[in-house]
Amino acid sequence: MTSVKDVAQLAGVSLMTVSRALSNPEKLSPETYQRVRRAIDELQFVPSMSARKIRGDNLQSRTIGVFALDTATTPFAVELLLSIEQTAQQAGWNVFILNLLSNSPTDQNIDLMLSHRPDGLIFSAMGLRQVCIPERLKSKPLVLANCLADDSHLASYVPDDEMGQYRAVHHALSQGYRRPLSINLPKQSLAWGLRQKGMQRACQAFGLAPDSLLKYDLSDHDAYGETAAILDRHIIDGRPQFDILICGNDRIAFCAYQLLLGRGLKIPDDVAVLGYDNMIGIAELFIPPLTTVQLPYHEIGRRAARHLIEALDVSGAQPVDCPLVARTSL
Amino acid sequence: MTSVKDVAQLAGVSLMTVSRALSNPEKLSPETYQRVRRAIDELQFVPSMSARKIRGDNLQSRTIGVFALDTATTPFAVELLLSIEQTAQQAGWNVFILNLLSNSPTDQNIDLMLSHRPDGLIFSAMGLRQVCIPERLKSKPLVLANCLADDSHLASYVPDDEMGQYRAVHHALSQGYRRPLSINLPKQSLAWGLRQKGMQRACQAFGLAPDSLLKYDLSDHDAYGETAAILDRHIIDGRPQFDILICGNDRIAFCAYQLLLGRGLKIPDDVAVLGYDNMIGIAELFIPPLTTVQLPYHEIGRRAARHLIEALDVSGAQPVDCPLVARTSL
DNA sequence: CTGTTAGCGCGTTCAC
DNA sequence: GTGAACGCGCTAACAG
């Protein structure tokens, strides 16, 4: 590759003049600058990141290191990574993403990450998981995106599931629905309690007795097959005992749609359906399109990145609003 | 960060001894090596990528640069990126991924990429798109993954859609289905012709007249709404004129399932459904689970990466097999 | 077996 | 307004 040296030679100036042309053009005489500029353009010179980083010249070459968990299994979350990348780029920061296959980074993963000398670290996971941060990493600025850790005072940007669920159920009840059936995420998932609380708070606001609610949880992360049995238990003689189905995520809603439609029920006339996640490129394809709650991946990524860039001094879980996406399934 | 210098000091040796301890331990006396090792462990020293790259010390620090298009809109394709990353890691290469929002990289994108001094470039896109490669990039080894370019002699690893569709339809017809209705991708998509050809070849093998086939195309990339009208045109008095629905992708199948079920039809008894893509985390949730053709993202990523790592001398489109994923929708 | 020197590409510091 | 020298972290080549 071409380096400052080549440019300097072509322009007939010293290395420093080229360097200045890149960072402090105003310190050069206009004509010298032009000459250097032309040489730069002709050689298509781009300064080397590595050389800049090596000097600790941190103004031009800071980088955010991202440990990404679950990207393979929950691909919708690329949005989080994209958002981090965009935010970083705007601030002139670089991003190095390392996808993790296991739950917690291996020593090899950590070495690779540290070899890039990141100025800050983001730990991201899907499904709001509890992750384990190795000691070696705690010396660097570190934020969590869409996950939590044992060390609860670490800054963590997470979806405000309580509020998201509250708002959505409140919206549903205000439409007149009164007999909800809820199929929540597995109990061990971090979101479970928040969703539960949000739903109950909304129900109370409408005077629904908490113990009158039909509530179920999936037994495991991918036990979507259980949806059928739950629904059938509450569809008697083809008539559902519930007027709205509150799903722990859009996947459950997808299963439910097929089951309900297959049993001759109309959505939302016979049964309304509420999702959670707003799976990109999927939620719109439901017929009718799914009303759901959006997981704010973009905003989470943006805030996690800004946290590092601006060296914010916040700690603990930072709830990020989950907007309701009102379509026509209720 | 700690550097060789710190390690050398702590171990009471010279810089070179540390360096050797890292790359050629056998050249050191066992005791010296142990002493250095202990210092390395104690300081948790990891050599800096940047410093290695800067030297052109290419054996320890080669990197693949990836321009990723469409990652945001077709998130399932993360698999391709993961596969590149894994393959690279196994060979000791690094990966720098740059997500593109526009169709072709901006000058700024290119500068950023080149500033990382990649030793090879991968261009990846979703939906088998035709991409445009800027001149500035053609000086480096370059492969296309899941896309094609004007310059048709560029090595491009792409799904073998013709064979994939042929095998799937052949499988369907061998099950006894005889009246297919096909809803293909939009005509302008590169895969359209291949899928068409594969389907017709399979039909011919079973003696089905090509013009007896019920064939439709979506008018645009996201015109999934058209599925309903197409199906209704061929469901007369609640009875479908087709016994198998061949969908251009799983999303079309997703819509079709809801429409068919909503009209009281059983899958696969009344109508069988065949998808294409095998959307991760979704195709399994169809009820019944969707038989579909797998887009070989993993293999494409692996081969594209190996192409650069091994400096393969192939050119032109390299079809990668699309295996049939037989579930129970037919 | 171990240390010294030199240089990769860049920018800061200090001369001119 | 411009340039020479130095150092960032690392290793190949050469000395000892």
Side-chain angles (χ1 to χ4, degrees):
Chain A
M1 281 292 290
T2 78
S3 77
V4 265
K5 201 180 284 186
D6 305 303
V7 178
Q9 192 163 15
L10 179 59
V13 294
S14 76
L15 303 179
M16 256 327 287
T17 307
V18 178
S19 184
R20 275 193 269 260
L22 293 166
S23 26
N24 306 91
E26 71 281 4
K27 291 193 175 175
L28 295 184
S29 78
E31 51 199 12
T32 317
Y33 176 65
Q34 282 310 322
R35 199 146 39 96
V36 178
R37 251 288 24 110
R38 239 173 298 143
I40 288 177
D41 291 341
E42 190 171 331
L43 296 173
Q44 308 204 337
F45 168 72
V46 181
S48 150
M49 269 306 317
S50 303
R52 285 185 157 169
K53 273 195 80 79
I54 214 180
R55 299 193 61 256
D57 177 10
N58 267 336
L59 284 146
Q60 318 251 7
S61 62
R62 301 182 94 96
T63 109
I64 295 178
V66 182
F67 285 106
L69 277 75
D70 308 321
T71 321
T73 50
T74 316
F76 309 97
V78 227
E79 207 183 334
L80 206 167
L81 300 180
L82 281 176
S83 175
I84 292 174
E85 183 174 331
Q86 281 178 48
T87 308
Q89 269 179 39
Q90 281 167 20
W93 284 48
N94 290 286
V95 177
F96 173 69
I97 294 175
L98 191 53
N99 283 290
L100 266 36
L101 301 176
S102 49
N103 257 14
S104 126
T106 63
D107 277 337
Q108 203 185 355
N109 287 327
I110 298 180
D111 283 352
L112 179 53
M113 176 59 81
L114 291 180
S115 78
H116 282 84
R117 300 287 187 267
D119 302 283
L121 255 24
I122 296 180
F123 241 87
S124 83
M126 297 307 117
L128 193 50
R129 291 238 315 282
Q130 181 106 11
V131 301
C132 186
I133 311 292
E135 279 304 319
R136 294 176 59 191
L137 261 27
K138 298 203 174 171
S139 56
K140 302 211 174 236
L142 194 158
V143 214
L144 305 189
N146 203 39
C147 52
L148 294 174
D150 310 321
D151 183 350
S152 67
H153 84 275
L154 274 173
S156 322
Y157 293 88
V158 292
D160 188 347
D161 277 319
E162 201 272 342
M163 183 58 185
Q165 190 72 81
Y166 168 79
R167 186 190 291 127
V169 175
H170 190 283
H171 171 75
L173 297 178
S174 72
Q175 306 264 91
Y177 299 103
R178 281 298 177 277
R179 290 169 298 149
L181 164 58
S182 132
I183 304 182
N184 201 343
L185 299 175
K187 207 156 186 170
Q188 70 266 28
S189 80
L190 282 177
W192 185 88
L194 296 168
R195 303 283 182 85
Q196 191 82 345
K197 225 173 105 189
M199 185 178 69
Q200 294 198 335
R201 189 156 64 86
C203 286
Q204 278 166 10
F206 279 82
L208 266 66
D211 46 354
S212 76
L213 294 175
L214 269 27
K215 289 187 302 188
Y216 293 89
D217 314 310
L218 256 33
S219 71
D220 195 14
H221 188 59
D222 51 1
Y224 294 100
E226 297 172 1
T227 311
I230 297 173
L231 291 183
D232 278 334
R233 193 170 316 158
H234 295 284
I235 301 181
I236 298 177
D237 291 335
R239 223 163 302 144
Q241 301 176 300
F242 51 98
D243 57 4
I244 179 164
L245 180 64
I246 299 173
C247 303
N249 64 28
D250 291 358
R251 288 157 141 106
I252 298 175
F254 176 51
C255 294
Y257 257 62
Q258 299 175 80
L259 295 164
L260 295 173
L261 292 170
R263 281 153 183 71
L265 297 169
K266 305 295 176 211
I267 303 170
D269 296 339
D270 296 327
V271 176
V273 179
L274 172 65
Y276 210 112
D277 279 8
N278 194 34
M279 294 195 314
I280 178 170
I282 298 288
E284 308 88 349
L285 299 183
F286 281 66
I287 305 175
L290 184 67
T291 292
T292 188
V293 181
Q294 186 188 329
L295 246 23
Y297 288 132
H298 186 83
E299 184 66 9
I300 289 179
R302 204 183 64 84
R303 293 189 57 189
R306 297 208 70 83
H307 180 105
L308 294 177
I309 294 169
E310 295 169 5
L312 296 186
D313 187 28
V314 306
S315 80
Q318 308 292 316
V320 178
D321 193 49
C322 300
L324 177 67
V325 181
R327 296 200 180 92
T328 51
S329 67
L330 64 81
Chain B
M1 280 294 287
T2 80
S3 78
V4 264
K5 201 179 286 185
D6 305 306
V7 179
Q9 192 164 12
L10 180 58
V13 295
S14 76
L15 302 180
M16 261 323 287
T17 306
V18 178
S19 183
R20 275 191 270 257
L22 293 167
S23 24
N24 306 92
E26 71 280 4
K27 293 193 175 174
L28 295 185
S29 78
E31 50 197 19
T32 316
Y33 176 66
Q34 281 311 323
R35 197 144 42 94
V36 177
R37 257 270 43 100
R38 238 172 301 143
I40 289 177
D41 291 341
E42 189 172 334
L43 296 173
Q44 309 207 333
F45 168 72
V46 181
S48 149
M49 269 305 316
S50 302
R52 285 185 158 167
K53 273 195 82 76
I54 212 180
R55 301 192 61 255
D57 176 10
N58 268 338
L59 284 146
Q60 317 250 11
S61 64
R62 300 182 95 94
T63 110
I64 295 179
V66 182
F67 285 106
L69 278 74
D70 308 322
T71 321
T73 52
T74 316
F76 310 97
V78 227
E79 206 183 334
L80 207 167
L81 300 180
L82 281 176
S83 175
I84 292 174
E85 184 175 329
Q86 282 178 48
T87 308
Q89 269 180 39
Q90 280 166 22
W93 284 47
N94 290 285
V95 177
F96 174 68
I97 294 175
L98 191 52
N99 282 290
L100 265 36
L101 301 175
S102 49
N103 257 13
S104 127
T106 62
D107 277 335
Q108 204 188 351
N109 287 326
I110 299 179
D111 283 351
L112 180 53
M113 176 59 81
L114 291 180
S115 78
H116 282 84
R117 300 287 188 267
D119 302 284
L121 256 20
I122 296 180
F123 241 87
S124 83
M126 298 306 116
L128 194 50
R129 292 240 316 281
Q130 180 107 12
V131 301
C132 186
I133 312 292
E135 278 305 319
R136 293 175 62 191
L137 262 26
K138 297 203 173 168
S139 56
K140 302 213 173 232
L142 193 156
V143 215
L144 304 190
N146 202 40
C147 54
L148 295 173
D150 309 320
D151 183 349
S152 66
H153 83 272
L154 273 174
S156 319
Y157 294 88
V158 293
D160 189 348
D161 276 320
E162 201 273 341
M163 183 59 185
Q165 189 73 82
Y166 168 79
R167 184 189 293 128
V169 175
H170 189 283
H171 170 75
L173 296 178
S174 72
Q175 307 266 86
Y177 298 104
R178 280 300 176 276
R179 292 169 298 149
L181 164 58
S182 132
I183 304 182
N184 201 342
L185 299 175
K187 207 160 187 169
Q188 68 267 26
S189 80
L190 282 177
W192 184 88
L194 296 167
R195 303 282 182 84
Q196 191 81 347
K197 228 173 102 189
M199 183 176 70
Q200 295 197 336
R201 189 156 65 85
C203 286
Q204 278 169 11
F206 281 80
L208 266 65
D211 46 355
S212 77
L213 295 176
L214 268 25
K215 289 187 303 189
Y216 293 90
D217 314 310
L218 255 32
S219 70
D220 195 15
H221 187 59
D222 52 0
Y224 294 99
E226 296 171 4
T227 311
I230 297 173
L231 290 182
D232 279 333
R233 194 171 312 157
H234 295 284
I235 301 180
I236 298 178
D237 290 334
R239 224 164 300 142
Q241 300 177 301
F242 51 97
D243 57 5
I244 179 165
L245 180 63
I246 300 173
C247 303
N249 63 30
D250 290 357
R251 285 156 143 105
I252 297 175
F254 183 90
C255 295
Y257 256 62
Q258 300 175 77
L259 295 163
L260 295 173
L261 292 170
R263 282 154 184 69
L265 297 169
K266 305 294 176 213
I267 302 169
D269 297 338
D270 296 327
V271 175
V273 178
L274 173 65
Y276 210 111
D277 280 8
N278 193 34
M279 294 195 313
I280 177 173
I282 299 288
E284 308 89 350
L285 298 184
F286 283 65
I287 306 174
L290 185 68
T291 291
T292 188
V293 181
Q294 186 188 331
L295 247 22
Y297 287 132
H298 187 83
E299 182 67 9
I300 289 179
R302 202 185 65 86
R303 294 190 57 188
R306 297 209 69 83
H307 180 105
L308 294 177
I309 293 168
E310 295 167 6
L312 297 186
D313 189 27
V314 306
S315 80
Q318 309 292 317
V320 177
D321 192 50
C322 300
L324 178 66
V325 181
R327 296 199 182 91
T328 50
S329 67
L330 62 83

